[in-house]
PDB file of all heavy atoms in Angstrom:
ATOM      1  N   ALA N   1       0.845  -1.209  -0.005  1.00 85.00           N
ATOM      2  CA  ALA N   1       0.000  -0.003  -0.001  1.00 85.00           C
ATOM      3  C   ALA N   1       0.872   1.251   0.001  1.00 85.00           C
ATOM      4  O   ALA N   1       0.553   2.235  -0.675  1.00 85.00           O
ATOM      5  CB  ALA N   1      -0.928  -0.008   1.215  1.00 85.00           C
ATOM      6  N   ALA N   2       1.977   1.220   0.759  1.00 85.00           N
ATOM      7  CA  ALA N   2       2.914   2.358   0.746  1.00 85.00           C
ATOM      8  C   ALA N   2       3.513   2.532  -0.643  1.00 85.00           C
ATOM      9  O   ALA N   2       3.674   3.663  -1.151  1.00 85.00           O
ATOM     10  CB  ALA N   2       4.001   2.147   1.796  1.00 85.00           C
ATOM     11  N   LEU N   3       3.879   1.394  -1.294  1.00 89.00           N
ATOM     12  CA  LEU N   3       4.396   1.454  -2.654  1.00 89.00           C
ATOM     13  C   LEU N   3       3.345   2.031  -3.613  1.00 89.00           C
ATOM     14  O   LEU N   3       3.657   2.829  -4.495  1.00 89.00           O
ATOM     15  CB  LEU N   3       4.832   0.073  -3.113  1.00 89.00           C
ATOM     16  CG  LEU N   3       5.356  -0.034  -4.556  1.00 89.00           C
ATOM     17  CD1 LEU N   3       6.613   0.810  -4.729  1.00 89.00           C
ATOM     18  CD2 LEU N   3       5.608  -1.481  -4.937  1.00 89.00           C
ATOM     19  N   TYR N   4       2.084   1.621  -3.420  1.00 88.00           N
ATOM     20  CA  TYR N   4       0.984   2.154  -4.237  1.00 88.00           C
ATOM     21  C   TYR N   4       0.916   3.671  -4.129  1.00 88.00           C
ATOM     22  O   TYR N   4       0.771   4.383  -5.136  1.00 88.00           O
ATOM     23  CB  TYR N   4      -0.345   1.525  -3.776  1.00 88.00           C
ATOM     24  CG  TYR N   4      -1.577   2.279  -4.245  1.00 88.00           C
ATOM     25  CD1 TYR N   4      -2.121   2.042  -5.498  1.00 88.00           C
ATOM     26  CD2 TYR N   4      -2.182   3.216  -3.420  1.00 88.00           C
ATOM     27  CE1 TYR N   4      -3.244   2.730  -5.928  1.00 88.00           C
ATOM     28  CE2 TYR N   4      -3.298   3.923  -3.848  1.00 88.00           C
ATOM     29  CZ  TYR N   4      -3.826   3.671  -5.090  1.00 88.00           C
ATOM     30  OH  TYR N   4      -4.950   4.383  -5.518  1.00 88.00           O
ATOM     31  N   ALA N   5       1.036   4.189  -2.890  1.00 86.00           N
ATOM     32  CA  ALA N   5       0.966   5.640  -2.685  1.00 86.00           C
ATOM     33  C   ALA N   5       2.118   6.354  -3.375  1.00 86.00           C
ATOM     34  O   ALA N   5       1.936   7.413  -4.007  1.00 86.00           O
ATOM     35  CB  ALA N   5       0.988   5.948  -1.182  1.00 86.00           C
ATOM     36  N   VAL N   6       3.326   5.751  -3.306  1.00 87.00           N
ATOM     37  CA  VAL N   6       4.496   6.376  -3.950  1.00 87.00           C
ATOM     38  C   VAL N   6       4.343   6.379  -5.467  1.00 87.00           C
ATOM     39  O   VAL N   6       4.615   7.377  -6.144  1.00 87.00           O
ATOM     40  CB  VAL N   6       5.786   5.642  -3.540  1.00 87.00           C
ATOM     41  CG1 VAL N   6       6.985   6.157  -4.346  1.00 87.00           C
ATOM     42  CG2 VAL N   6       6.044   5.819  -2.036  1.00 87.00           C
ATOM     43  N   VAL N   7       3.929   5.234  -6.015  1.00 89.00           N
ATOM     44  CA  VAL N   7       3.713   5.138  -7.469  1.00 89.00           C
ATOM     45  C   VAL N   7       2.636   6.127  -7.903  1.00 89.00           C
ATOM     46  O   VAL N   7       2.774   6.822  -8.919  1.00 89.00           O
ATOM     47  CB  VAL N   7       3.329   3.707  -7.881  1.00 89.00           C
ATOM     48  CG1 VAL N   7       2.902   3.643  -9.345  1.00 89.00           C
ATOM     49  CG2 VAL N   7       4.495   2.760  -7.627  1.00 89.00           C
ATOM     50  N   ASN N   8       1.567   6.213  -7.127  1.00 86.00           N
ATOM     51  CA  ASN N   8       0.467   7.129  -7.444  1.00 86.00           C
ATOM     52  C   ASN N   8       0.947   8.564  -7.525  1.00 86.00           C
ATOM     53  O   ASN N   8       0.692   9.264  -8.512  1.00 86.00           O
ATOM     54  CB  ASN N   8      -0.615   6.977  -6.362  1.00 86.00           C
ATOM     55  CG  ASN N   8      -1.881   7.737  -6.691  1.00 86.00           C
ATOM     56  OD1 ASN N   8      -1.902   8.950  -6.693  1.00 86.00           O
ATOM     57  ND2 ASN N   8      -2.962   6.995  -6.965  1.00 86.00           N
ATOM     58  N   TYR N   9       1.684   8.986  -6.500  1.00 85.00           N
ATOM     59  CA  TYR N   9       2.148  10.380  -6.482  1.00 85.00           C
ATOM     60  C   TYR N   9       3.204  10.639  -7.566  1.00 85.00           C
ATOM     61  O   TYR N   9       3.169  11.676  -8.243  1.00 85.00           O
ATOM     62  CB  TYR N   9       2.723  10.738  -5.112  1.00 85.00           C
ATOM     63  CG  TYR N   9       3.207  12.161  -5.038  1.00 85.00           C
ATOM     64  CD1 TYR N   9       2.317  13.233  -4.971  1.00 85.00           C
ATOM     65  CD2 TYR N   9       4.567  12.448  -5.073  1.00 85.00           C
ATOM     66  CE1 TYR N   9       2.769  14.536  -4.926  1.00 85.00           C
ATOM     67  CE2 TYR N   9       5.034  13.753  -5.033  1.00 85.00           C
ATOM     68  CZ  TYR N   9       4.115  14.795  -4.957  1.00 85.00           C
ATOM     69  OH  TYR N   9       4.565  16.087  -4.933  1.00 85.00           O
ATOM     70  N   SER N  10       4.143   9.701  -7.711  1.00 86.00           N
ATOM     71  CA  SER N  10       5.224   9.892  -8.697  1.00 86.00           C
ATOM     72  C   SER N  10       4.671   9.973 -10.112  1.00 86.00           C
ATOM     73  O   SER N  10       5.075  10.842 -10.907  1.00 86.00           O
ATOM     74  CB  SER N  10       6.235   8.747  -8.590  1.00 86.00           C
ATOM     75  OG  SER N  10       6.787   8.681  -7.295  1.00 86.00           O
ATOM     76  N   LEU N  11       3.757   9.095 -10.440  1.00 88.00           N
ATOM     77  CA  LEU N  11       3.157   9.107 -11.773  1.00 88.00           C
ATOM     78  C   LEU N  11       2.376  10.396 -11.996  1.00 88.00           C
ATOM     79  O   LEU N  11       2.400  10.970 -13.113  1.00 88.00           O
ATOM     80  CB  LEU N  11       2.256   7.896 -11.955  1.00 88.00           C
ATOM     81  CG  LEU N  11       1.648   7.697 -13.342  1.00 88.00           C
ATOM     82  CD1 LEU N  11       2.735   7.577 -14.414  1.00 88.00           C
ATOM     83  CD2 LEU N  11       0.738   6.473 -13.368  1.00 88.00           C
ATOM     84  N   ASN N  12       1.703  10.861 -10.962  1.00 84.00           N
ATOM     85  CA  ASN N  12       0.984  12.136 -11.031  1.00 84.00           C
ATOM     86  C   ASN N  12       1.916  13.271 -11.425  1.00 84.00           C
ATOM     87  O   ASN N  12       1.616  14.097 -12.295  1.00 84.00           O
ATOM     88  CB  ASN N  12       0.303  12.403  -9.690  1.00 84.00           C
ATOM     89  CG  ASN N  12      -0.499  13.696  -9.675  1.00 84.00           C
ATOM     90  OD1 ASN N  12       0.071  14.762  -9.499  1.00 84.00           O
ATOM     91  ND2 ASN N  12      -1.801  13.580  -9.835  1.00 84.00           N
ATOM     92  N   GLN N  13       3.098  13.329 -10.785  1.00 83.00           N
ATOM     93  CA  GLN N  13       4.060  14.394 -11.057  1.00 83.00           C
ATOM     94  C   GLN N  13       4.671  14.258 -12.467  1.00 83.00           C
ATOM     95  O   GLN N  13       4.922  15.262 -13.131  1.00 83.00           O
ATOM     96  CB  GLN N  13       5.173  14.397 -10.004  1.00 83.00           C
ATOM     97  CG  GLN N  13       4.681  14.622  -8.582  1.00 83.00           C
ATOM     98  CD  GLN N  13       3.866  15.898  -8.450  1.00 83.00           C
ATOM     99  OE1 GLN N  13       4.240  16.940  -8.973  1.00 83.00           O
ATOM    100  NE2 GLN N  13       2.733  15.806  -7.757  1.00 83.00           N
ATOM    101  N   VAL N  14       4.892  13.018 -12.891  1.00 86.00           N
ATOM    102  CA  VAL N  14       5.436  12.809 -14.241  1.00 86.00           C
ATOM    103  C   VAL N  14       4.458  13.320 -15.297  1.00 86.00           C
ATOM    104  O   VAL N  14       4.852  13.993 -16.267  1.00 86.00           O
ATOM    105  CB  VAL N  14       5.752  11.307 -14.466  1.00 86.00           C
ATOM    106  CG1 VAL N  14       6.051  11.039 -15.934  1.00 86.00           C
ATOM    107  CG2 VAL N  14       6.926  10.895 -13.595  1.00 86.00           C
ATOM    108  N   ILE N  15       3.188  13.004 -15.134  1.00 86.00           N
ATOM    109  CA  ILE N  15       2.185  13.443 -16.108  1.00 86.00           C
ATOM    110  C   ILE N  15       2.037  14.967 -16.098  1.00 86.00           C
ATOM    111  O   ILE N  15       1.924  15.603 -17.145  1.00 86.00           O
ATOM    112  CB  ILE N  15       0.839  12.753 -15.841  1.00 86.00           C
ATOM    113  CG1 ILE N  15       0.956  11.247 -16.081  1.00 86.00           C
ATOM    114  CG2 ILE N  15      -0.247  13.321 -16.747  1.00 86.00           C
ATOM    115  CD1 ILE N  15      -0.291  10.453 -15.739  1.00 86.00           C
ATOM    116  N   ILE N  16       2.065  15.566 -14.892  1.00 83.00           N
ATOM    117  CA  ILE N  16       1.997  17.031 -14.804  1.00 83.00           C
ATOM    118  C   ILE N  16       3.181  17.653 -15.540  1.00 83.00           C
ATOM    119  O   ILE N  16       3.026  18.628 -16.290  1.00 83.00           O
ATOM    120  CB  ILE N  16       1.970  17.484 -13.336  1.00 83.00           C
ATOM    121  CG1 ILE N  16       0.640  17.108 -12.678  1.00 83.00           C
ATOM    122  CG2 ILE N  16       2.166  19.003 -13.248  1.00 83.00           C
ATOM    123  CD1 ILE N  16       0.584  17.423 -11.206  1.00 83.00           C
ATOM    124  N   SER N  17       4.350  17.105 -15.323  1.00 83.00           N
ATOM    125  CA  SER N  17       5.549  17.617 -16.014  1.00 83.00           C
ATOM    126  C   SER N  17       5.398  17.493 -17.527  1.00 83.00           C
ATOM    127  O   SER N  17       5.748  18.403 -18.285  1.00 83.00           O
ATOM    128  CB  SER N  17       6.786  16.851 -15.534  1.00 83.00           C
ATOM    129  OG  SER N  17       7.933  17.318 -16.184  1.00 83.00           O
ATOM    130  N   PHE N  18       4.850  16.364 -17.978  1.00 85.00           N
ATOM    131  CA  PHE N  18       4.612  16.153 -19.409  1.00 85.00           C
ATOM    132  C   PHE N  18       3.645  17.220 -19.955  1.00 85.00           C
ATOM    133  O   PHE N  18       3.864  17.799 -21.015  1.00 85.00           O
ATOM    134  CB  PHE N  18       4.046  14.758 -19.635  1.00 85.00           C
ATOM    135  CG  PHE N  18       3.633  14.478 -21.057  1.00 85.00           C
ATOM    136  CD1 PHE N  18       4.562  14.047 -21.993  1.00 85.00           C
ATOM    137  CD2 PHE N  18       2.320  14.664 -21.469  1.00 85.00           C
ATOM    138  CE1 PHE N  18       4.200  13.804 -23.315  1.00 85.00           C
ATOM    139  CE2 PHE N  18       1.937  14.433 -22.775  1.00 85.00           C
ATOM    140  CZ  PHE N  18       2.874  13.985 -23.702  1.00 85.00           C
ATOM    141  N   TYR N  19       2.587  17.459 -19.222  1.00 82.00           N
ATOM    142  CA  TYR N  19       1.603  18.486 -19.629  1.00 82.00           C
ATOM    143  C   TYR N  19       2.269  19.860 -19.776  1.00 82.00           C
ATOM    144  O   TYR N  19       2.037  20.572 -20.765  1.00 82.00           O
ATOM    145  CB  TYR N  19       0.476  18.588 -18.607  1.00 82.00           C
ATOM    146  CG  TYR N  19      -0.549  17.468 -18.675  1.00 82.00           C
ATOM    147  CD1 TYR N  19      -1.565  17.381 -17.723  1.00 82.00           C
ATOM    148  CD2 TYR N  19      -0.522  16.507 -19.676  1.00 82.00           C
ATOM    149  CE1 TYR N  19      -2.523  16.367 -17.768  1.00 82.00           C
ATOM    150  CE2 TYR N  19      -1.465  15.481 -19.727  1.00 82.00           C
ATOM    151  CZ  TYR N  19      -2.457  15.429 -18.761  1.00 82.00           C
ATOM    152  OH  TYR N  19      -3.396  14.436 -18.823  1.00 82.00           O
ATOM    153  N   LEU N  20       3.077  20.224 -18.791  1.00 80.00           N
ATOM    154  CA  LEU N  20       3.691  21.543 -18.805  1.00 80.00           C
ATOM    155  C   LEU N  20       4.606  21.735 -20.009  1.00 80.00           C
ATOM    156  O   LEU N  20       4.607  22.776 -20.655  1.00 80.00           O
ATOM    157  CB  LEU N  20       4.478  21.769 -17.503  1.00 80.00           C
ATOM    158  CG  LEU N  20       3.643  22.016 -16.241  1.00 80.00           C
ATOM    159  CD1 LEU N  20       4.534  22.066 -15.017  1.00 80.00           C
ATOM    160  CD2 LEU N  20       2.830  23.291 -16.369  1.00 80.00           C
ATOM    161  N   TYR N  21       5.398  20.713 -20.292  1.00 81.00           N
ATOM    162  CA  TYR N  21       6.397  20.840 -21.363  1.00 81.00           C
ATOM    163  C   TYR N  21       5.790  20.695 -22.764  1.00 81.00           C
ATOM    164  O   TYR N  21       6.201  21.399 -23.689  1.00 81.00           O
ATOM    165  CB  TYR N  21       7.517  19.811 -21.177  1.00 81.00           C
ATOM    166  CG  TYR N  21       8.493  20.182 -20.081  1.00 81.00           C
ATOM    167  CD1 TYR N  21       8.548  19.431 -18.903  1.00 81.00           C
ATOM    168  CD2 TYR N  21       9.341  21.264 -20.187  1.00 81.00           C
ATOM    169  CE1 TYR N  21       9.420  19.750 -17.871  1.00 81.00           C
ATOM    170  CE2 TYR N  21      10.221  21.597 -19.179  1.00 81.00           C
ATOM    171  CZ  TYR N  21      10.257  20.852 -18.028  1.00 81.00           C
ATOM    172  OH  TYR N  21      11.132  21.176 -17.016  1.00 81.00           O
ATOM    173  N   PHE N  22       4.838  19.784 -22.918  1.00 80.00           N
ATOM    174  CA  PHE N  22       4.371  19.449 -24.266  1.00 80.00           C
ATOM    175  C   PHE N  22       3.001  20.058 -24.615  1.00 80.00           C
ATOM    176  O   PHE N  22       2.687  20.180 -25.795  1.00 80.00           O
ATOM    177  CB  PHE N  22       4.315  17.934 -24.451  1.00 80.00           C
ATOM    178  CG  PHE N  22       5.660  17.287 -24.416  1.00 80.00           C
ATOM    179  CD1 PHE N  22       6.129  16.669 -23.271  1.00 80.00           C
ATOM    180  CD2 PHE N  22       6.473  17.323 -25.536  1.00 80.00           C
ATOM    181  CE1 PHE N  22       7.376  16.072 -23.232  1.00 80.00           C
ATOM    182  CE2 PHE N  22       7.728  16.724 -25.512  1.00 80.00           C
ATOM    183  CZ  PHE N  22       8.181  16.101 -24.352  1.00 80.00           C
ATOM    184  N   ILE N  23       2.210  20.396 -23.624  1.00 83.00           N
ATOM    185  CA  ILE N  23       0.899  21.013 -23.899  1.00 83.00           C
ATOM    186  C   ILE N  23       0.938  22.516 -23.641  1.00 83.00           C
ATOM    187  O   ILE N  23       0.547  23.311 -24.484  1.00 83.00           O
ATOM    188  CB  ILE N  23      -0.212  20.336 -23.067  1.00 83.00           C
ATOM    189  CG1 ILE N  23      -0.363  18.875 -23.506  1.00 83.00           C
ATOM    190  CG2 ILE N  23      -1.543  21.086 -23.229  1.00 83.00           C
ATOM    191  CD1 ILE N  23      -1.418  18.097 -22.728  1.00 83.00           C
ATOM    192  N   TYR N  24       1.466  22.893 -22.461  1.00 79.00           N
ATOM    193  CA  TYR N  24       1.543  24.327 -22.141  1.00 79.00           C
ATOM    194  C   TYR N  24       2.803  24.989 -22.684  1.00 79.00           C
ATOM    195  O   TYR N  24       2.934  26.216 -22.613  1.00 79.00           O
ATOM    196  CB  TYR N  24       1.500  24.523 -20.630  1.00 79.00           C
ATOM    197  CG  TYR N  24       0.151  24.218 -20.022  1.00 79.00           C
ATOM    198  CD1 TYR N  24      -0.108  22.984 -19.408  1.00 79.00           C
ATOM    199  CD2 TYR N  24      -0.883  25.148 -20.044  1.00 79.00           C
ATOM    200  CE1 TYR N  24      -1.342  22.707 -18.840  1.00 79.00           C
ATOM    201  CE2 TYR N  24      -2.121  24.881 -19.488  1.00 79.00           C
ATOM    202  CZ  TYR N  24      -2.341  23.660 -18.898  1.00 79.00           C
ATOM    203  OH  TYR N  24      -3.569  23.391 -18.339  1.00 79.00           O
ATOM    204  N   LYS N  25       3.749  24.183 -23.184  1.00 77.00           N
ATOM    205  CA  LYS N  25       5.001  24.691 -23.761  1.00 77.00           C
ATOM    206  C   LYS N  25       5.778  25.548 -22.776  1.00 77.00           C
ATOM    207  O   LYS N  25       6.423  26.545 -23.130  1.00 77.00           O
ATOM    208  CB  LYS N  25       4.731  25.521 -25.027  1.00 77.00           C
ATOM    209  CG  LYS N  25       3.860  24.829 -26.076  1.00 77.00           C
ATOM    210  CD  LYS N  25       4.517  23.599 -26.632  1.00 77.00           C
ATOM    211  CE  LYS N  25       3.652  22.962 -27.732  1.00 77.00           C
ATOM    212  NZ  LYS N  25       4.239  21.713 -28.235  1.00 77.00           N
ATOM    213  N   SER N  26       5.748  25.188 -21.507  1.00 74.00           N
ATOM    214  CA  SER N  26       6.445  25.939 -20.488  1.00 74.00           C
ATOM    215  C   SER N  26       7.937  25.609 -20.507  1.00 74.00           C
ATOM    216  O   SER N  26       8.336  24.449 -20.620  1.00 74.00           O
ATOM    217  CB  SER N  26       5.872  25.619 -19.098  1.00 74.00           C
ATOM    218  OG  SER N  26       6.642  26.249 -18.096  1.00 74.00           O
ATOM    219  N   LYS N  27       8.772  26.663 -20.398  1.00 69.00           N
ATOM    220  CA  LYS N  27      10.231  26.463 -20.391  1.00 69.00           C
ATOM    221  C   LYS N  27      10.802  26.531 -18.977  1.00 69.00           C
ATOM    222  O   LYS N  27      11.989  26.319 -18.782  1.00 69.00           O
ATOM    223  CB  LYS N  27      10.894  27.549 -21.260  1.00 69.00           C
ATOM    224  CG  LYS N  27      10.426  27.550 -22.712  1.00 69.00           C
ATOM    225  CD  LYS N  27      10.698  26.226 -23.407  1.00 69.00           C
ATOM    226  CE  LYS N  27      10.238  26.248 -24.864  1.00 69.00           C
ATOM    227  NZ  LYS N  27      10.448  24.958 -25.526  1.00 69.00           N
ATOM    228  N   GLU N  28       9.949  26.857 -18.004  1.00 65.00           N
ATOM    229  CA  GLU N  28      10.419  26.965 -16.632  1.00 65.00           C
ATOM    230  C   GLU N  28      10.626  25.585 -16.019  1.00 65.00           C
ATOM    231  O   GLU N  28       9.932  24.620 -16.377  1.00 65.00           O
ATOM    232  CB  GLU N  28       9.424  27.764 -15.787  1.00 65.00           C
ATOM    233  CG  GLU N  28       9.249  29.196 -16.261  1.00 65.00           C
ATOM    234  CD  GLU N  28       8.259  29.948 -15.397  1.00 65.00           C
ATOM    235  OE1 GLU N  28       7.805  29.383 -14.380  1.00 65.00           O
ATOM    236  OE2 GLU N  28       7.943  31.102 -15.738  1.00 65.00           O
ATOM    237  N   SER N  29      11.541  25.498 -15.087  1.00 62.00           N
ATOM    238  CA  SER N  29      11.814  24.222 -14.415  1.00 62.00           C
ATOM    239  C   SER N  29      10.617  23.850 -13.535  1.00 62.00           C
ATOM    240  O   SER N  29      10.135  24.662 -12.741  1.00 62.00           O
ATOM    241  CB  SER N  29      13.080  24.345 -13.562  1.00 62.00           C
ATOM    242  OG  SER N  29      13.257  23.162 -12.802  1.00 62.00           O
TER     243      SER N  29
END
């Protein structure tokens, strides 16, 4: 369950990062 929580949060951040770079075209870190 702890691993599930980590995977859940990590994947959430990866997708957000993908959105920022490829959809919003953001250049900020």
Side-chain angles (χ1 to χ4, degrees):
L3 178 63
Y4 163 85
V6 172
V7 172
N8 188 291
Y9 180 74
S10 301
L11 185 58
N12 181 278
Q13 300 305 315
V14 169
I15 295 176
I16 291 176
S17 180
F18 175 85
Y19 283 175
L20 288 173
Y21 285 111
F22 294 99
I23 295 179
Y24 290 99
K25 308 297 183 183
S26 174
K27 301 301 181 182
E28 298 180 5
S29 174

